[in-house]
Amino acid sequence: MYIYACDLRINIMNEKLSLALDEFLHVGVGLVIIIALVSVVTGLIRAFVPQEKLQKRLSKTGKFGGLMGALLGLPTPFCSASMVPVSMGMVEMGAPFAMVFSFLLSAPLANFVVVGFIFGVFGWKVALVYFLIVFIGSVLFGTLFGKTSIKNEVKRINLDSKDTNVEDSSQQVVSCGTSSNNNSSQQVASCGTSSNSVCGESNPKLNEAFSFGWALFKRILPYVLIGAVISAALVAFVPDTWVQKYLGNDSPLAIPIAAGIGVPLYLRIEMAIPILKALIVKGMSMGAAIALIIGGTGASLPEIAIISSMLKPKAIMAFILSVMTMAIVGGFIFYFFF
């Protein structure tokens, strides 16, 4: 009997480890591919879009920076991995903190995919109120923290000089010239900076773009892997009955509990909606369901791990506070009016 029980425990543990490995590979590989692509695109935009003009336009947003950031999040169904390199690119391009912070909140919570899922399952009224809660919250918190010292709590990309410095034409002449002839005009003609140069110099803007993209990728990659490990552990070792026990009731206390539980759960929206629909059938309030959606998709542990690649501790706490506040306020709105 004892041997049978031990074998059963070993089998259960093996199943959980297998599930965790599958989740890690599924999440980790997908996120690595996404951040690689987005990092390259961000680098290309940074290299080929005139930075001075872009910075002037971004700085002109002024008090509307929070609104602009929230609006940018609507058409971008970004997960944590893809929104962070975009946000870091915005920082490097001179975007105000209010815009970046609002984007970090709006992109995972208010994008059209999330709102579309909620509309398809719960109807247009629920989807509309949900959208207004997270969109207005993103604008308000971005604007608020953009006026405080939190705006300085951002990690910047520090590239090596060899990666970022684009050699001027005179340096290229010296490095490309193989003849001892001192005729600089001939050397300039044969070793120019164009892509058709005789010396085979690559386009310096492409070099700059890929250098920035590579630095961005290296910065975020460890946090993505940490997030994938957390996601795998949660999927394998957090039982569904635990969620049902604390959330499967109609008590208003379930709303702050749901908001708090949502942070470590890491709810992908395509998984969360069917689960929450089943919990609502079992007696869970709509308020608790909305609080869980906002907390789980806005500030899950894997997401916080990835966002740590660009935000310092105080800004991370502000981010978590913003998501938790939206989750609890939104939960009570739905609890009393739906």
Side-chain angles (χ1 to χ4, degrees):
M1 187 69 180
Y2 176 78
I3 296 176
Y4 174 77
C6 289
D7 290 340
L8 182 61
R9 290 175 183 175
I10 292 173
N11 290 335
I12 293 174
M13 180 58 66
N14 288 337
E15 289 178 1
K16 289 184 177 182
L17 291 176
S18 178
L19 180 61
L21 180 60
D22 290 342
E23 178 69 10
F24 173 78
L25 293 175
H26 174 72
V27 174
V29 173
L31 294 184
V32 168
I33 293 173
I34 289 173
I35 65 166
L37 293 175
V38 176
S39 296
V40 170
V41 172
T42 304
L44 290 171
I45 293 173
R46 183 178 181 272
F48 286 93
V49 175
Q51 295 300 297
E52 292 184 1
K53 292 182 179 179
L54 185 60
Q55 289 177 11
K56 287 181 180 179
R57 290 194 176 185
L58 291 174
S59 62
K60 287 180 180 179
T61 56
K63 59 183 180 181
F64 298 108
L67 176 61
M68 292 300 298
L71 288 172
L72 286 173
L74 302 186
T76 50
F78 286 164
C79 63
S80 321
S82 51
M83 75 180 183
V84 168
V86 172
S87 300
M88 294 179 80
M90 292 168 64
V91 170
E92 295 299 317
M93 294 173 194
F97 180 79
M99 178 184 293
V100 176
F101 198 82
S102 292
F103 175 78
L104 283 172
L105 293 170
S106 176
L109 289 173
N111 69 74
F112 69 93
V113 173
V114 173
V115 176
F117 265 106
I118 295 174
F119 168 76
V121 176
F122 298 114
W124 70 269
K125 290 183 180 180
V126 172
L128 177 61
V129 176
Y130 167 86
F131 170 77
L132 291 175
I133 291 169
V134 294
F135 180 78
I136 294 173
S138 299
V139 175
L140 290 178
F141 284 112
T143 303
L144 172 65
F145 288 114
K147 295 180 179 180
T148 67
S149 60
I150 298 294
K151 65 183 179 182
N152 300 317
E153 299 292 309
V154 179
K155 300 176 184 177
R156 301 188 67 89
I157 301 292
N158 293 319
L159 299 177
D160 295 332
S161 58
K162 64 181 181 179
D163 293 331
T164 56
N165 292 340
V166 179
E167 296 177 338
D168 60 28
S169 58
S170 62
Q171 290 173 324
Q172 290 178 0
V173 168
V174 174
S175 61
C176 290
T178 56
S179 171
S180 59
N181 192 332
N182 293 327
N183 190 333
S184 60
S185 61
Q186 290 179 353
Q187 290 179 352
V188 170
S190 62
C191 301
T193 59
S194 68
S195 59
N196 296 324
S197 65
V198 174
C199 295
E201 291 290 337
S202 60
N203 190 321
K205 286 190 176 294
L206 283 178
N207 289 338
E208 179 186 351
F210 287 112
S211 294
F212 181 83
W214 174 241
L216 196 58
F217 178 79
K218 289 192 297 183
R219 166 72 70 84
I220 301 172
L221 181 61
Y223 297 90
V224 170
L225 297 178
I226 292 172
V229 170
I230 294 172
S231 174
L234 292 173
V235 168
F237 297 102
V238 176
D240 295 339
T241 54
W242 187 72
V243 178
Q244 294 176 9
K245 176 181 178 181
Y246 292 101
L247 302 181
N249 60 75
D250 194 38
S251 170
L253 292 177
I255 293 172
I257 293 174
I261 289 176
V263 171
L265 274 186
Y266 183 45
L267 295 176
R268 293 197 293 272
I269 193 64
E270 65 274 13
M271 295 171 54
I273 296 298
I275 293 173
L276 293 178
K277 188 176 181 181
L279 289 175
I280 289 173
V281 172
K282 295 182 180 181
M284 181 182 186
S285 68
M286 179 62 74
I290 293 299
L292 191 64
I293 290 176
I294 296 175
T297 59
S300 64
L301 284 181
E303 184 172 29
I304 293 170
I306 298 172
I307 289 177
S308 299
S309 65
M310 69 167 292
L311 297 181
K312 297 178 182 179
K314 289 183 180 179
I316 294 173
M317 293 303 298
F319 178 82
I320 296 173
L321 175 64
S322 301
V323 174
M324 288 288 292
T325 302
M326 285 191 287
I328 294 173
V329 171
F332 278 110
I333 289 175
F334 274 92
Y335 181 81
F336 288 111
F337 295 102
F338 283 82

